[in-house]
Amino acid sequence: MSDDDSRGAGDGAPLQRRRASGSAPLSGGVPLGDEAFPAFDAEAIPPRPPLPVGDATEHDTGDHYAIREQWRAARGEFESHVTHARDQLDQANERIKQRTGRDLIGAILIGLAIGAALLASLVFEKVFFVPFALAAALLGTYELALALRGAGRRVDVVPQLVAAALIVVPAYFVQIWLVWALLFLAVALVIVWRLVAQMVAKDGRTYGDVLSDAVIAGFVQVYVPFLAAMALILLRQQGGQWWVLSFIVIAVAADTGAYASGLAFGKHPMAPRISPKKTWEGFAGAVVASIAAGVLLALFLLELPWWAGVIFGTAILLSATLGDLGESMLKRDIGIKDMSSWLPGHGGVLDRLDSILLSTIPTLCLYFLLSPWVVL
């Protein structure tokens, strides 16, 4: 036994593991050689894997940190580009809004939503367009009645809505002559209601004002519900849903062409006293857009010759422009900018229907004039 071993045993310190080769067994114990464990094969033990070197671990950690920093930098750069693009879009939208008075982004989103609903109602089953037209007519009538009341006119809202539904709902299901009879009944209803209400009120209103209120009450029914009913009369005809879709598309194309062309090149006002933001350059853009849309729709949807598309596009262009200017003149007379603020970027429902409502008349006429070419 070595001095270290004897010293450890004598001091009561724990025994140290002896070396397997050349070491004497402890007294009274079992030798620690391999022969003491016959079932144990020391050579079968796999070698211990080498411990990771400190430099490699630090290298892996450094690579992970670098990748994370690169990801953060890339994300920050992307967010910076998105923020910059959003700021530029907001600035451009603000400039357009200052020039035209419209929120471009809101107008596009609302227009797409309304267009999708309109297209679905006409393509899948055209009877689904009836509640669409009824809702538009009721909302337009309600807006116009409130605007006139705000200008000091006595307009009874509830009778106006009842009379509007009386005209619009049956228009798809009855003969044309009966729609005219319903119009007469609706106008008589709102006028008599206004006269009776004025007699009950006894507020000293002059005869001229009472007469004006009665005429305006009848005008509301002709302007909104009856023109909406004309669209339903067209709808119930054979292939009428494609004509309804076509004249709405042409009216929208004319409005969009006028907006884009006027925004880019508009310098000469078209009717400064009625609508100062409408220009002749915008009207030129409307001419190109409406005629192009009319020709394309005539050839590929209505199965009409190209010259019929030119006539169709020109007729809708004129009616849409007159309807837009007429509503602008009405708003200027009332003293308001928009009929309401229900549609962001557009104003009110009637602000979007002004060019469409008046276009129902030439479209219905052209349907009966040009439809024979469909079967030739």
Side-chain angles (χ1 to χ4, degrees):
M1 181 180 295
S2 63
D3 295 337
D4 293 337
D5 293 335
S6 60
R7 185 170 53 250
D11 296 339
L15 295 178
Q16 298 180 355
R17 187 176 62 181
R18 296 176 180 271
R19 296 179 181 175
S21 59
S23 60
L26 294 174
S27 59
V30 180
L32 296 178
D34 291 340
E35 60 275 6
F37 302 92
F40 180 77
D41 186 4
E43 296 181 356
I45 300 177
R48 178 182 295 178
L51 294 175
V53 184
D55 294 341
T57 304
E58 294 176 358
H59 180 70
D60 294 341
T61 305
D63 289 345
H64 178 71
Y65 179 77
I67 294 175
R68 184 170 58 183
E69 289 299 322
Q70 290 178 358
W71 168 253
R72 289 180 178 177
R75 185 178 62 180
E77 184 178 1
F78 176 74
E79 292 176 352
S80 176
H81 285 305
V82 171
T83 303
H84 181 66
R86 184 183 300 174
D87 292 339
Q88 287 184 336
L89 182 60
D90 291 340
Q91 293 175 4
N93 187 36
E94 188 64 27
R95 289 194 298 267
I96 294 175
K97 187 176 181 179
Q98 291 177 356
R99 185 171 180 179
T100 63
R102 300 295 180 189
D103 184 0
L104 181 60
I105 298 178
I108 292 176
L109 294 178
I110 294 296
L112 290 176
I114 296 176
L118 175 66
L119 183 63
S121 65
L122 290 173
V123 170
F124 292 105
E125 184 62 38
K126 65 181 183 179
V127 71
F128 291 154
F129 184 76
V130 175
F132 191 91
L134 176 62
L138 292 178
L139 290 174
T141 302
Y142 182 73
E143 284 182 346
L144 183 57
L146 290 185
L148 292 170
R149 286 172 65 93
R153 298 298 181 182
R154 301 289 179 86
V155 180
D156 306 291
V157 178
V158 175
Q160 289 286 344
L161 295 177
V162 173
L166 180 64
I167 297 176
V168 176
V169 174
Y172 180 77
F173 305 98
V174 300
Q175 298 297 324
I176 297 178
W177 67 269
L178 191 54
V179 178
W180 286 95
L182 293 173
L183 172 64
F184 176 80
L185 180 61
V187 172
L189 173 64
V190 294
I191 290 178
V192 171
W193 188 288
R194 177 86 295 272
L195 295 177
V196 173
Q198 183 60 44
M199 293 174 58
V200 174
K202 296 181 180 180
D203 55 358
R205 196 169 178 84
T206 63
Y207 174 79
D209 291 337
V210 174
L211 182 60
S212 298
D213 293 340
V215 172
I216 289 174
F219 165 76
V220 172
Q221 291 299 308
V222 175
Y223 179 49
V224 183
F226 179 67
L227 293 180
M230 297 286 284
L232 294 182
I233 293 175
L234 175 62
L235 180 70
R236 69 188 300 265
Q237 309 300 320
Q238 182 178 0
Q241 69 271 27
W242 309 124
W243 282 80
V244 172
L245 179 62
S246 296
F247 92 81
I248 292 177
V249 169
I250 295 174
V252 172
D255 192 18
T256 304
Y259 182 86
S261 181
L263 185 64
F265 311 106
K267 294 181 179 179
H268 302 87
M270 185 177 180
R273 294 185 177 182
I274 299 176
S275 183
K277 294 182 179 179
K278 291 180 174 58
T279 61
W280 285 107
E281 290 80 4
F283 180 74
V287 171
V288 174
S290 60
I291 292 179
V295 171
L296 292 175
L297 290 169
L299 292 176
F300 299 105
L301 185 62
L302 302 179
E303 300 181 2
L304 296 174
W306 67 268
W307 54 266
V310 174
I311 296 176
F312 193 16
T314 303
I316 300 304
L317 168 67
L318 296 177
S319 62
T321 303
L322 290 177
D324 194 4
L325 291 176
E327 201 238 2
S328 298
M329 184 170 58
L330 178 62
K331 290 188 294 186
R332 181 169 290 274
D333 182 66
I334 296 176
I336 58 176
K337 181 180 181 296
D338 295 320
M339 285 294 177
S340 72
S341 58
W342 291 353
L343 301 177
H346 294 272
V349 175
L350 197 57
D351 294 317
R352 293 300 90 201
L353 294 178
D354 53 1
S355 59
I356 294 177
L357 286 174
L358 197 61
S359 298
T360 57
I361 298 176
T363 305
L364 186 61
C365 295
L366 288 175
Y367 172 81
F368 290 110
L369 290 175
L370 299 178
S371 57
W373 274 275
V374 175
V375 296
L376 290 180

